[in-house]
Amino acid sequence: LKRLGRMLYCMGHYANAFDYLTDANEMEPSDYETLILLGAVMAEVGDYTSALDALQRSLNIEHNADAIAMIGYVYALKGKRTRAAQMIKELKLATRSHEHLIKIAQIYAVLAETDTALRLLEQAIERREADVTAITFDPRWKKIRDEPRFQALVKGIGLSK
């Protein structure tokens, strides 16, 4: 159910993703990854309060960089620049300095700091971060997906159509 929910989220089918992820969460309430995905879905539909609640529950189960990054993303969507910056700082402190550049870049993209987002994305590509392969379909990139530099990066790693 979680995999289906993740796929539907990436396809932009948020209502269906929510249903599958809610079912997955009911079956395994201690799965922090499902809660992160639920938070991501709720953020994309503008339910920031519920998104932050799900993400906080994920952190309560296991302190993890993915939830921290998603919280920063939600704050960025809400226009809470200071809170988003706090999450970026926490993310940098919680991980090795070279990890999760792509997640930090996603936050900067939403904050309309496109140059910083693209610079960090370039570094993530150079370091072969795992999430790089999702940049063409992950909803968190939608704000800069049409940027020529973003398109050049996609083409450069062989993900263009």
Side-chain angles (χ1 to χ4, degrees), residues 40-105:
V41 168
M42 290 182 236
E44 293 303 329
V45 298
D47 187 354
Y48 304 130
T49 301
S50 296
L52 290 169
D53 177 62
L55 294 165
Q56 186 58 54
R57 286 187 290 145
S58 173
L59 281 176
N60 291 343
I61 293 167
E62 181 170 321
H63 194 77
N64 65 88
D66 290 335
I68 295 168
M70 187 58 72
I71 290 169
Y73 178 79
V74 173
Y75 282 134
L77 286 172
K78 288 180 68 170
K80 305 285 187 185
R81 296 183 75 78
T82 302
R83 295 299 300 267
Q86 288 171 339
M87 293 298 104
I88 290 171
K89 184 177 180 179
E90 186 174 338
L91 187 61
K92 288 177 180 177
L93 291 173
T95 63
R96 293 186 301 245
S97 61
H98 68 279
E99 286 186 355
H100 303 295
L101 291 175
I102 197 161
K103 293 178 185 329
I104 295 169

Side-chain angles (χ1 to χ4, degrees), residues 2-63:
K2 179 172 62 175
R3 285 184 185 166
L4 256 163
R6 181 189 320 264
M7 181 183 71
L8 290 165
Y9 162 72
C10 288
M11 294 172 63
H13 300 294
Y14 302 125
N16 291 335
F18 178 82
D19 292 341
Y20 279 99
L21 292 167
T22 299
D23 289 347
N25 183 242
E26 288 172 3
M27 291 173 65
E28 183 136 10
S30 63
D31 183 351
Y32 72 93
E33 292 175 335
T34 299
L35 288 166
I36 293 169
L37 287 166
L38 271 169
V41 168
M42 290 182 236
E44 293 303 329
V45 298
D47 187 354
Y48 304 130
T49 301
S50 296
L52 290 169
D53 177 62
L55 294 165
Q56 186 58 54
R57 286 187 290 145
S58 173
L59 281 176
N60 291 343
I61 293 167
E62 181 170 321
H63 194 77

Side-chain angles (χ1 to χ4, degrees), residues 64-160:
N64 65 88
D66 290 335
I68 295 168
M70 187 58 72
I71 290 169
Y73 178 79
V74 173
Y75 282 134
L77 286 172
K78 288 180 68 170
K80 305 285 187 185
R81 296 183 75 78
T82 302
R83 295 299 300 267
Q86 288 171 339
M87 293 298 104
I88 290 171
K89 184 177 180 179
E90 186 174 338
L91 187 61
K92 288 177 180 177
L93 291 173
T95 63
R96 293 186 301 245
S97 61
H98 68 279
E99 286 186 355
H100 303 295
L101 291 175
I102 197 161
K103 293 178 185 329
I104 295 169
Q106 290 166 337
I107 298 168
Y108 280 117
V110 174
L111 292 171
E113 295 186 29
T114 306
D115 287 338
T116 302
L118 290 170
R119 181 178 45 79
L120 290 171
L121 178 57
E122 287 172 6
Q123 291 174 12
I125 290 168
E126 288 171 10
R127 293 178 180 164
R128 299 174 193 221
E129 286 191 22
D131 292 343
V132 165
T133 58
I135 64 174
T136 59
F137 57 82
D138 187 322
R140 292 171 286 186
W141 292 107
K142 66 184 170 209
K143 294 224 182 225
I144 66 169
R145 197 167 274 136
D146 293 332
E147 287 284 328
R149 281 177 55 202
F150 183 90
Q151 290 298 317
L153 288 171
V154 168
K155 186 176 181 180
I157 58 175
L159 294 176
S160 61

